[in-house]
Amino acid sequence: MIEIKEVKTKKQKTQFLNFCLKMYKNNPCFVPPLYSNEKKLFGNHHDYCDQAESVFYLAYKDGKVAGRISGILQNASNEKWNQKRVRFTRFDCIDDQEVANALFAAVENWAKEKGMKELVGPLGYSDMEREGLLVEGFDQLNTFEEQYNFPYYEKLVNNYGFEKEVEWLECRLTAPDSAYIEKMKRVSDKAMERAGCHFGEAKNTKDFLKKYADDFFNIIDQSYAHIYGTVPFTEKMKKSIMKDFGLIIDLRYVTVVLDKNDRPVAFGLCFPGFGKALQKSGGRLTLCTLFKVLHAIKKPESIDLALIGVLPEYHNTGISHAIFYKMVQLLTKGTAKYAETNLMLDYNFNILNQWKNFHPVQHKRRRSYVKHIG
C-alpha cells in the first residue's frame, strides 16, 4: 500500500531530510548538500519565502518511507518568463513506478490547485541551487553544487509523462599546453589594456565582500538574465549566499575586473572541490568535517568553476580571456589536478568553445523535464 503525506511534523521533516542520505550512504559519487541549509527550507524565513511557495511530500510503502518530493511555485520566475509553472525538486525514490507516480501526482495536484499549467524540473528555487536530473555520468563524483541520482530515475520520470526541455553538459578540464597558456596571457594583457581595466584586490575575504558583494550580484543578474530558469536576487538571497561564501571563498579562486573608475565589470568565481569532505557526515558541519573542508580549500585536488560574469557592455572586449587566464593559473601553480565546469546548456556553443583547448572530457549530462497539466 502506498500513502502520500504532506510533511508537517518534526518527525516527517527529519524523514524528508534523511531519506536521500540513507539511499546514497556509502555511494562514492554522492555529495550531500549542507544539512543546515536544507533544514531551513521548512521554516517561514528561508531565503526564498518572499518570492516562492513550497510544499513537501513523503511517500510511504507498507509503512516505510519510500520516496520524497518538493513542489515550488516560483512566483518571481513565472512573472519574469510569463509562465504558469510549478517546479519539482528534491525528488528521491526507490525503484518503484507506483511510488514515483504517487509523488509526482501529489505535486501536480498542488500545482493545479494553484492554477498552474506546467510541471517542470528538477529545478530548485533558483539556478544557484542544484538542478537537473543526472542522465549520464553515474560513475563520476558529483560536485558540491549538483545533485546525484541513480540511473533508474530517468525511467521513473519518463514513464510519468514528462518530456525533455533542456540539457546541461559538464566537463572535466586540465591545463592547456604551455604554448596556449602564453597566448592566453598575451590576449589577456591586450584586452585589459584596450578596455582600460585592471584586476581588483582585497586584503582578505571580509574586505572582498565589503568591496564587491553588491556589484557581484548585479553582474550575475545582468549576465545570466536570459539563461533558462534564472530569477533575480532578493536581499535575503544575497545575505545567505554571502554567509556561505564567507566560509568557502579563498581569494585565490576569485577574479574581479575593474574599469578605470574602479567599478567591477566582470568576475570569475571558483570553488575548491570539497565534496569528499562532506560525504561521511551527510552534509553536517561537524568539527571533523570542518577540518576536512578547510584542508580541501587550502590544498584542493580539483577546482569547481562556479560562475563567470561580464557586464553586457564588455562582452566583446576580450575581458573574459583575462578571467580564463587567471583560472588556468590555478591548474598550473596549485595542487589541483583538474577543473570541473559548472552546468553548461548544450546549445551554449560560446561557452563550450571556450574550453576546447583545456582537453575537455564531457563526463556528465543533466536534463530538465516539462509536463503540461492544464
Side-chain angles (χ1 to χ4, degrees):
M1 178 182 175
I2 297 170
E3 185 179 11
I4 300 294
K5 293 183 180 180
E6 184 177 351
V7 175
K8 295 288 188 181
T9 68
K10 183 177 180 180
K11 179 181 178 180
Q12 289 171 334
K13 292 174 184 177
T14 300
Q15 289 176 323
F16 188 95
L17 294 170
N18 290 344
F19 180 70
C20 70
L21 301 180
K22 292 179 179 179
M23 280 191 70
Y24 298 110
K25 187 177 180 180
N26 298 323
N27 185 302
C29 300
F30 173 73
V31 175
L34 288 178
Y35 195 88
S36 57
N37 284 357
E38 291 293 285
K39 192 174 181 180
K40 291 177 185 177
L41 297 177
F42 295 110
N44 295 322
H45 304 289
H46 66 82
D47 301 341
Y48 302 91
C49 63
D50 54 353
Q51 61 174 203
E53 300 175 50
S54 309
V55 68
F56 303 87
Y57 294 108
L58 284 169
Y60 298 84
K61 183 174 183 178
D62 300 327
K64 296 182 179 180
V65 179
R68 68 171 195 168
I69 198 168
S70 175
I72 300 171
L73 176 53
Q74 201 356 314
N75 294 303
S77 177
N78 284 341
E79 181 179 350
K80 174 181 176 179
W81 300 101
N82 192 27
Q83 295 169 330
K84 289 190 174 183
R85 294 183 154 190
V86 157
R87 303 176 172 197
F88 76 85
T89 184
R90 291 156 177 84
F91 169 68
D92 286 293
C93 184
I94 63 172
D95 190 1
D96 188 310
Q97 192 66 53
E98 286 188 81
V99 174
N101 288 352
L103 287 166
F104 288 131
V107 177
E108 180 175 332
N109 291 335
W110 183 74
K112 289 178 177 178
E113 290 174 3
K114 298 293 183 178
M116 299 296 106
K117 302 296 184 182
E118 293 177 313
L119 185 60
V120 297
L123 293 173
Y125 291 87
S126 77
D127 68 318
M128 300 295 285
E129 284 206 308
R130 300 178 171 202
E131 56 188 355
L133 191 80
L134 187 67
V135 295
E136 290 179 12
F138 302 104
D139 60 343
Q140 300 294 317
L141 175 69
N142 259 44
T143 62
F144 169 72
E145 295 83 10
E146 302 305 333
Q147 180 68 14
Y148 182 82
N149 58 260
F150 290 125
Y152 66 78
Y153 278 40
E154 183 180 1
K155 171 195 67 178
L156 300 179
V157 172
N158 285 331
N159 287 346
Y160 188 71
F162 283 99
E163 298 177 350
K164 181 185 79 171
E165 184 165 51
V166 299
E167 284 192 345
W168 296 275
L169 305 178
E170 295 176 65
C171 293
R172 175 170 291 176
L173 312 174
T174 52
D177 300 332
S178 57
Y180 185 74
I181 294 176
E182 291 177 7
K183 179 181 177 181
M184 288 184 73
K185 186 179 187 308
R186 292 195 300 270
V187 172
S188 169
D189 291 343
K190 288 181 180 179
M192 293 286 280
E193 182 180 359
R194 186 168 55 245
C197 292
H198 58 282
F199 293 112
E201 297 181 353
K203 298 176 183 178
N204 49 47
T205 301
K206 184 177 180 180
D207 184 44
F208 169 82
L209 295 177
K210 182 179 179 180
K211 283 182 174 181
Y212 305 124
D214 289 339
D215 293 290
F216 169 81
F217 288 109
N218 176 52
I219 294 172
I220 293 179
D221 272 339
Q222 292 194 52
S223 299
Y224 293 80
H226 302 294
I227 300 296
Y228 174 84
T230 55
V231 295
F233 288 102
T234 66
E235 290 305 313
K236 280 188 177 182
M237 291 166 61
K238 292 177 183 178
K239 290 180 181 179
S240 178
I241 291 171
M242 284 300 101
K243 183 179 179 181
D244 290 341
F245 280 6
L247 172 65
I248 60 177
I249 277 184
D250 185 311
L251 294 185
R252 292 176 296 168
Y253 309 115
V254 184
T255 301
V256 178
V257 178
L258 310 178
D259 66 11
K260 60 183 180 181
N261 297 314
D262 287 336
R263 177 182 68 117
V265 298
F267 72 89
L269 177 63
C270 304
F271 294 128
F274 58 86
K276 287 183 180 180
L278 296 172
Q279 286 180 316
K280 287 190 177 181
S281 72
R284 296 174 178 86
L285 284 179
T286 63
L287 185 60
C288 179
T289 301
L290 190 57
F291 278 126
K292 291 180 180 179
V293 169
L294 292 174
H295 177 75
I297 290 173
K298 295 298 181 184
K299 295 183 178 181
E301 294 182 9
S302 64
I303 299 293
D304 297 346
L305 307 183
L307 291 167
I308 296 172
V310 181
L311 288 179
E313 59 265 36
Y314 283 85
H315 277 182
N316 297 317
T317 62
I319 280 180
S320 59
H321 290 285
I323 297 172
F324 293 139
Y325 176 66
K326 285 286 188 178
M327 291 179 172
V328 166
Q329 292 180 305
L330 295 175
L331 292 174
T332 58
K333 296 182 178 180
T335 60
K337 300 174 183 177
Y338 60 89
E340 296 270 359
T341 68
N342 193 7
L343 271 62
M344 303 173 291
L345 288 163
D346 62 353
Y347 55 79
N348 190 347
F349 299 111
N350 286 335
I351 189 64
L352 291 170
N353 286 334
Q354 294 281 4
W355 306 124
K356 63 183 180 181
N357 292 294
F358 288 70
H359 315 294
V361 177
Q362 191 264 301
H363 62 322
K364 281 178 270 186
R365 183 186 299 267
R366 298 181 188 276
R367 188 173 296 162
S368 179
Y369 296 83
V370 60
K371 183 175 187 286
H372 302 282
I373 61 176

